[in-house]
Amino acid sequence: MDPPAAKRSRGCPAGPEERDAGAGAVRGRGRPEALLDLSAKRVAESWAFEQVEERFSRVPEPVQKRIVFWSFPRSEREICMYSSLGYQPPEGEHDARVPFTRGLHLLQSGAVDRVLQVGFHLSGNIRELGGPGEPERLYHVSISFDRCKITSVSCGCDNRDLFYCAHVVALSLYRIRHARQVELRLPISETLSQMNRDQLQKFVQYLISAHHTEVLPTAQRLADEILLLGSEINLVHGAPDPTAGAGIEDANCWHLDEEQIQEQVKQLLANGGYYGASQQLRSMFCKVREMLRMRDSNGARMLILMTEQFLQDPRLALWRQQGAGMTDKCRQLWDELGALWVCVVLSPHCKPEERVSWLQLLGKWDQLDVCPLEEGNYSFDGPSLQPTMALSPELLQKGNTCITNTEGWVGHPLDPIGCLCRALLEACRLEEETLALYPDSGPEKRKAAYQHVPVPGSPGESYLALALEVALLGLGQQRALPEGLYAQDKVVRSEEQLLALLEEVELDERLVQVLRKQAGLLLEGGPFSGFGEVLFRESVPMHTCARYLFTALLPHDPDLAYRLALRAMRLPVLETAFPAREPHPHPLDSIMSNRFPRWFILGHLETRQCELASAMLTAAKGDPKWLHAVLGSIQQNIHSPALLFKLAQDACKTATPASAPPDTTLLGIALELGLQVMRMTLNTMTWRRREMVRWLVGCATEIGPQALMNIMQNWYSLFTPVEAATIVAVTGTTHATLSRLQLDAPRREELWACARTLALQCAMKDPQNCALPALTLCEKNHAAFEAAYQIVLDAAAGGLGHAHLFTVARYMEHRGLPLRAYKLATLALAQLSIAFNQDSHPAVNDVLWACSLSHSLGRHELSAIVPLIIRSIHCAPMLSDILRRWTLSAPGLGPLGARRAAKPLGADRAPLCQLLDAAVAAYIATSHSRLTHISPRHYGDFIEFLGQARETFLLAPDGHLQFAQFLENLKQTYKGKKKLMLLVRERFG
């Protein structure tokens, strides 16, 4: 048999076991066994050294045994990688679901026995406890290996998964940790070569006898072929040996179940709509990344298998037929697939022939009709970006220009900047660091450690500095926002992932110089830079990148940090549509889908703009120069009132720490931003306005009484009358506010006078909603109270509704002013009209209260209100209810009136006789009206209505006669309604 002979990839670092063995060989210099072990180890890894003959059998037996011994993998890291799907439990924890953890537990519990290594074949038994009430299970495991890699596995558990089961892990770990305890034999062909004819015959017969039911047919077939001269088996030199390892020309790679990978990817794609399926596919992508990082050729093999299954997804043909785009989840998976191919093809460790074969495969796949475009769409007629350049963020003065690079580097489907930056950072990672550079590689979030690695041939350059420079070049590139929600969302995600990588890098003096240089270049970069003086209207904003640069540069070069951040505050698509300090059509809605249909992520961009502004405000505390510069930029560039309000809140909070005096400049800026929000949203009805108004009053209070009085005096341009009267004036004069201001008596009275003036002005402008708050606020000042009362009287003549008048009237009664309450009640009644069928009118309780008030005041007031009641109320039940209430007691006996009469009024005497006549007339008119369109199901209600009418009729001296005449009239008029008239006769005769 030919010995396995495939060179190890150049540049592959020696494992820790090899380093230890090498050290031992040096320490054991002069000891033949140690030198022999070192040579055998190198042969086991490469099969490429001059002392080995072409045939394994010609190598001395001690060397044979050592080569076989050292050919098994010596690192547990690879075993772990091939027994888990990208899951890394938190540090110090183990997950029992991971096969590696289960296998380790089996090893530690002594479940591995009868381990035998024959050449390059390892076998053993694994005993595993069953579940409750189940017997112990025995699994037979066999492993083939070659040049320190496991090439095939077999286990009795028949586990069908992508990677090794726990039993394979247990046997492998036993071989690594207890190598000297494993019974070792040479390849079976070497053992057979030492036997004579009798021994060989005995060996074969014993083997057949032990397994005759399994191997007897095969043994007889092979015997027949061997005895037949000229058969194919006799034409081949030698015979196969499964324990002798691979040939010199055979490939050398770790075992990978290709069929199972294809099947699992197919199933996961079929369940692509579920979150778990997407996560499993991402875990497989992470496994590919892990293999690539370890320079394992199976990374590319696995990626090819996955790509083929992706292209066989039946949904691709359906989407192409419909001309529709992919789902977002599917696009993300295809993006990750493309990014992995970029890593594979650009890998500096791959062979040229491998790269050629991969490029051929990619070209072949690209020719398939179902292969999606980079942006995941199948439509070729999408809107194209054709910016025009006028030669007259006039156009040049407004900050408009055109750009030629409509396709940006950051957010590109193949992620060139991200791939390059990660590759450079990977080269700078400390050797002991094993953390992944990719966000989805696991839940573990620790900061990576990097060091400067010199660039060969470029003195002074380091890969770490280049990584930072490359990232800033991509992030600072002026580029057009791409079409479509997914593409725009990808831009945002790519920026955030790139900046997350940069934030893990600790900045030393060398990197700070790179930052300063790149920041200066970005400011002077012209139309190629997103920080240049002129911008294309639909350029991607620089807020997220600027925030990182501002934070990083601030301790080292504050002037440069502020200049860069202020330049990045622009949002050109809004600046060209709305003048500074003016709101867009829906002020509290950041997403303007009607006006800007392409900018699906506008709300997110405005939020990032706000975060940049907030960072600058916080950092500029105590520096009036930069504070006012930041304020001017905010007022010019931020057009969302909701975000301006958030900035104002943040500034106020920063300006008023609990353990230090307030920053008056920052407080003033917070107030100025709040005033701008008030002006922008004055005509917008929203629930947030009340919150904003309350906050503004609180902010003005923090500054001082003059600021509070200023917003009261200028309320017309800031608040609605209701807000000014019910929130500003009231909140500004509460006990808590006055205590906070710590004013003396004259200043307190000045503030009160300002609040009363504000309330009166609001009452004059909106008496319906502000009259009562004005009266309440002016209670303690007679002149102001009289002025507010006169405003109410004047408004009543001008159309103030009866509901508001009744509300103010009740307030007057509650304040002990019954005559004024009576006056307002009569004004309200004069405006009221209740029809005959409105016995559930909203003003019923107010009318009854007004009648009770007039009765309590005396006969004169009662007599004056009766005509108003008759004129305003035409509902018979209401009139009869009022009449009955007034006859129960004498007028003037109420709690508010003086005693003016000794006995109750009679219904047949003035002034109640007029009300009785009105009630009787209302019952008669209502009865005729109801009978015009009455249906049989309402007959019972009508009979009850007549019963109420009779009670009212009987209050008159001749009530019996009037009611009888009324009934007779009904019988004659509606004699056609025989059933109803029968019911009337049965009830009333």
Side-chain angles (χ1 to χ4, degrees):
M1 292 291 295
D2 292 332
K7 291 186 179 181
R8 187 181 61 186
S9 300
R10 288 191 301 168
C12 181
E17 296 85 355
E18 180 174 300
R19 291 195 296 268
D20 293 343
V26 173
R27 289 192 298 269
R29 184 172 297 172
R31 295 171 53 197
E33 294 82 0
L35 294 176
L36 189 60
D37 269 346
L38 178 60
S39 299
K41 180 184 292 188
R42 291 173 177 169
V43 172
E45 289 181 342
S46 66
W47 286 103
F49 78 133
E50 298 176 357
Q51 288 81 2
V52 178
E53 298 288 343
E54 182 178 355
R55 292 189 54 79
F56 187 79
S57 57
R58 298 183 183 178
V59 180
E61 182 173 338
V63 178
Q64 289 182 355
K65 286 188 176 180
R66 282 173 168 80
I67 290 176
V68 169
F69 178 83
W70 288 110
S71 290
F72 196 84
R74 298 182 300 280
S75 171
E76 296 182 8
R77 182 180 180 187
E78 287 85 359
I79 306 298
C80 180
M81 183 177 73
Y82 277 91
S83 58
S84 62
L85 188 57
Y87 176 79
Q88 298 294 331
E91 187 176 7
E93 299 182 13
H94 297 285
D95 190 341
R97 298 170 297 177
V98 178
F100 184 85
T101 304
R102 290 178 52 210
L104 183 61
H105 176 74
L106 289 172
L107 173 67
Q108 294 171 344
S109 62
V112 184
D113 64 354
R114 301 192 65 181
V115 181
L116 172 66
Q117 179 178 337
V118 180
F120 301 94
H121 183 84
L122 182 71
S123 63
N125 292 337
I126 310 296
R127 300 182 182 276
E128 186 174 22
L129 295 177
E134 296 181 359
E136 182 182 68
R137 299 171 182 170
L138 178 65
Y139 300 105
H140 180 71
V141 181
S142 62
I143 299 174
S144 296
F145 52 91
D146 175 32
R147 286 164 276 181
C148 303
K149 296 177 183 177
I150 293 177
T151 56
S152 67
V153 299
S154 174
C155 179
C157 71
D158 293 328
N159 176 62
R160 296 292 294 170
D161 201 352
L162 292 180
F163 301 106
Y164 306 159
C165 65
H167 314 110
V168 172
V169 172
L171 181 60
S172 302
L173 293 180
Y174 184 93
R175 174 60 177 80
I176 292 173
R177 296 189 178 187
H178 308 291
R180 301 292 180 182
Q181 302 176 20
V182 177
E183 190 175 358
L184 180 64
R185 297 288 185 271
L186 292 177
I188 194 66
S189 57
E190 300 300 320
T191 303
L192 293 177
S193 66
Q194 300 175 16
M195 298 182 183
N196 57 32
R197 183 190 177 286
D198 293 338
Q199 290 173 324
L200 284 173
Q201 183 169 356
K202 182 176 292 188
F203 171 79
V204 172
Q205 289 184 217
Y206 266 95
L207 178 63
I208 294 175
S209 177
H211 302 283
H212 65 279
T213 58
E214 294 89 356
V215 304
L216 186 58
T218 303
Q220 185 60 53
R221 177 177 59 81
L222 292 175
D224 293 341
E225 291 184 9
I226 290 175
L227 292 175
L228 182 62
L229 295 178
S231 64
E232 182 178 357
I233 197 171
N234 286 321
L235 297 178
V236 177
H237 178 69
D241 182 1
T243 67
I248 190 172
E249 73 284 350
D250 294 336
N252 179 322
C253 57
W254 286 81
H255 168 70
L256 197 66
D257 192 338
E258 298 187 359
E259 180 181 349
Q260 183 62 19
I261 288 177
Q262 291 175 318
E263 184 63 27
Q264 183 147 350
V265 173
K266 181 179 179 180
Q267 293 180 0
L268 291 174
L269 287 174
N271 299 326
Y274 298 97
Y275 175 77
S278 299
Q279 288 300 103
Q280 287 254 22
L281 288 169
R282 288 192 176 91
S283 296
M284 296 179 73
F285 287 143
C286 292
K287 181 59 62 178
V288 173
R289 292 186 188 278
E290 187 178 357
M291 291 176 176
L292 295 176
R293 186 173 295 113
M294 296 180 67
R295 301 174 188 174
D296 190 336
S297 61
N298 277 340
R301 287 178 60 203
M302 185 171 174
L303 187 59
I304 291 173
L305 296 172
M306 295 184 69
T307 305
E308 290 174 343
Q309 291 304 310
F310 266 69
L311 288 168
Q312 294 177 20
D313 188 347
R315 295 176 297 174
L316 295 180
L318 179 62
W319 286 328
R320 178 172 178 80
Q321 291 173 1
Q322 297 174 346
M326 295 180 177
T327 62
D328 285 352
K329 287 184 179 179
C330 194
R331 286 184 181 182
Q332 292 174 11
L333 294 174
W334 275 92
D335 281 348
E336 294 188 45
L337 193 72
L340 279 174
W341 272 113
V342 172
C343 296
V344 168
V345 175
L346 297 184
S347 172
H349 307 295
C350 70
K351 301 176 182 178
E353 57 271 19
E354 289 178 328
R355 182 177 288 112
V356 170
S357 66
W358 294 333
L359 291 175
Q360 290 175 347
L361 265 179
L362 291 171
K364 174 184 174 183
W365 292 332
D366 185 59
Q367 298 301 317
L368 298 177
D369 291 339
V370 296
C371 185
L373 300 178
E374 290 176 346
E375 67 273 13
N377 292 322
Y378 287 99
S379 175
F380 297 94
D381 301 321
S384 59
L385 186 61
Q386 298 292 340
T388 58
M389 180 63 179
L391 300 180
S392 60
E394 180 183 0
L395 290 181
L396 288 175
Q397 292 173 356
K398 290 183 177 179
N400 290 269
T401 184
C402 65
I403 53 178
T404 56
N405 47 339
T406 57
E407 186 177 61
W409 298 329
V410 175
H412 189 280
L414 298 181
D415 192 21
I417 295 295
C419 289
L420 184 54
C421 183
R422 289 185 178 97
L424 293 170
L425 288 176
E426 181 80 12
C428 302
R429 197 141 47 119
L430 293 178
E431 290 185 5
E432 61 270 17
E433 288 289 335
T434 59
L435 298 175
L437 292 177
Y438 302 91
D440 295 329
S441 61
E444 201 171 275
K445 300 293 182 184
R446 292 191 305 174
K447 205 166 186 178
Y450 301 101
Q451 62 183 351
H452 285 281
V453 176
V455 179
S458 299
E461 289 280 8
S462 77
Y463 287 124
L464 190 57
L466 286 178
L468 179 60
E469 187 173 336
V470 164
L472 294 180
L473 282 173
L475 290 168
Q477 177 201 25
Q478 182 172 184
R479 56 199 184 276
L481 189 72
E483 295 281 352
L485 172 60
Y486 179 78
Q488 294 176 14
D489 182 66
K490 183 172 176 59
V491 169
V492 172
R493 285 187 287 108
S494 298
E495 284 186 347
E496 292 174 349
Q497 291 172 4
L498 204 53
L499 288 171
L501 288 177
L502 296 186
E503 287 172 353
E504 288 190 345
V505 179
E506 294 185 6
L507 298 177
D508 55 16
E509 185 59 33
R510 194 171 178 183
L511 294 179
V512 169
Q513 293 304 319
V514 174
L515 271 181
R516 298 178 69 173
K517 175 184 176 182
Q518 290 302 314
L521 292 175
L522 288 173
L523 284 173
E524 304 297 331
F528 299 101
S529 170
F531 293 86
E533 292 186 4
V534 290
L535 286 181
F536 177 61
R537 179 179 177 273
E538 297 193 1
S539 289
V540 176
M542 297 287 109
H543 308 137
T544 309
C545 173
R547 186 181 179 194
Y548 165 78
L549 289 172
F550 176 77
T551 305
L553 286 171
L554 190 63
H556 311 284
D557 193 338
D559 183 74
L560 180 59
Y562 278 108
R563 287 196 298 120
L564 193 76
L566 290 172
R567 179 75 63 82
M569 276 291 292
R570 299 167 297 179
L571 188 53
V573 71
L574 293 184
E575 292 174 7
T576 56
F578 305 108
R581 305 193 185 187
E582 287 192 11
H584 40 61
H586 305 285
L588 295 180
D589 185 6
S590 296
I591 302 178
M592 299 159 8
S593 57
N594 294 329
R595 188 136 190 180
F596 303 102
R598 289 188 60 250
W599 287 70
F600 299 101
I601 58 169
L602 184 59
H604 177 85
L605 297 177
E606 287 187 290
T607 301
R608 292 292 178 262
Q609 183 188 37
C610 174
E611 291 174 352
L612 174 61
S614 180
M616 286 194 289
L617 281 177
T618 302
K621 179 182 177 182
D623 191 334
K625 170 193 170 184
W626 288 120
L627 278 176
H628 286 97
V630 174
L631 173 62
S633 179
I634 290 173
Q635 292 176 325
Q636 180 180 0
N637 295 294
I638 297 185
H639 304 278
S640 171
L643 296 178
L644 283 172
F645 179 57
K646 183 181 183 305
L647 284 174
Q649 288 179 305
D650 293 345
C652 184
K653 185 177 180 180
T654 304
T656 54
S659 58
D663 187 308
T664 55
T665 305
L666 189 53
L667 263 180
I669 287 177
L671 180 64
E672 180 61 31
L673 290 174
L675 294 175
Q676 181 177 345
V677 173
M678 292 296 102
R679 287 188 289 267
M680 294 171 69
T681 60
L682 180 58
N683 298 320
T684 303
M685 298 305 296
T686 171
W687 61 271
R688 293 211 68 187
R689 277 282 300 185
R690 298 184 65 84
E691 176 192 358
M692 294 174 176
V693 173
R694 288 194 183 93
W695 176 88
L696 189 69
V697 174
C699 183
T701 303
E702 291 290 338
I703 295 177
Q706 191 59 48
L708 190 57
M709 288 189 287
N710 284 340
I711 65 172
M712 290 184 181
Q713 293 166 355
N714 298 285
W715 72 271
Y716 283 102
S717 61
L718 301 172
F719 314 109
T720 64
V722 176
E723 292 169 344
T726 60
I727 302 178
V728 178
V730 174
T731 307
T733 54
T734 59
H735 177 73
T737 301
L738 296 175
S739 301
R740 176 72 175 168
L741 293 173
Q742 298 180 348
L743 302 177
D744 54 17
R747 289 288 281 171
R748 180 173 295 191
E749 179 55 32
E750 183 181 2
L751 181 60
W752 267 108
C754 189
R756 288 193 293 266
T757 302
L758 165 64
L760 292 175
Q761 292 173 346
C762 294
M764 292 180 66
K765 195 171 184 66
D766 186 5
Q768 289 189 349
N769 298 308
C770 300
L772 186 57
L775 286 168
T776 305
L777 197 67
C778 297
E779 280 181 350
K780 297 180 180 179
N781 186 281
H782 178 71
F785 188 80
E786 290 298 322
Y789 177 64
Q790 188 60 46
I791 290 174
V792 176
L793 295 179
D794 295 341
L800 185 62
H802 61 82
H804 295 91
L805 287 171
F806 276 127
T807 301
V808 178
R810 286 176 179 265
Y811 165 80
M812 289 294 183
E813 182 193 33
H814 184 67
R815 289 293 183 266
L817 302 170
L819 292 178
R820 292 192 173 185
Y822 174 78
K823 174 66 174 176
L824 293 172
T826 59
L827 292 174
L829 284 172
Q831 298 184 11
L832 184 63
S833 178
I834 299 179
F836 71 93
N837 58 350
Q838 291 184 306
D839 49 350
S840 60
H841 193 279
V844 168
N845 289 330
D846 288 327
V847 171
L848 294 178
W849 168 81
C851 292
S852 176
L853 175 65
S854 62
H855 185 270
S856 67
L857 291 175
R859 181 172 183 144
H860 176 74
E861 287 78 6
L862 188 146
S863 300
I865 205 174
V866 167
L868 291 174
I869 295 293
I870 294 173
R871 184 166 59 249
S872 301
I873 300 172
H874 307 284
C875 178
M878 279 191 66
L879 292 172
S880 62
D881 188 16
I882 293 170
L883 183 62
R884 242 178 237 101
R885 289 170 182 259
W886 279 348
T887 58
L888 293 177
S889 62
L893 292 179
L896 297 178
R899 183 169 184 175
R900 301 180 184 176
K903 56 182 182 179
L905 297 174
D908 56 340
R909 297 181 182 179
L912 298 189
C913 61
Q914 299 174 8
L915 185 59
L916 177 58
D917 294 341
V920 169
Y923 271 114
I924 295 173
T926 303
S927 297
H928 285 289
S929 177
R930 293 181 66 173
L931 285 172
T932 304
H933 303 289
I934 196 169
S935 62
R937 62 191 180 96
H938 293 135
Y939 286 173
D941 294 338
F942 183 73
I943 295 301
E944 293 299 323
F945 178 75
L946 289 180
Q948 297 175 9
R950 182 172 64 176
E951 294 177 1
T952 302
F953 273 74
L954 293 179
L955 293 175
D958 56 347
H960 288 86
L961 181 59
Q962 291 185 40
F963 188 68
Q965 291 175 350
F966 169 57
L967 289 181
E968 189 62 30
N969 187 12
L970 290 181
K971 294 172 185 178
Q972 292 298 324
T973 306
Y974 303 100
K975 57 184 178 181
K977 300 182 183 295
K978 296 180 180 180
K979 185 176 181 180
L980 177 59
M981 293 302 108
L982 179 61
L983 294 174
V984 171
R985 290 189 184 92
E986 289 178 355
R987 176 74 177 271
F988 303 106

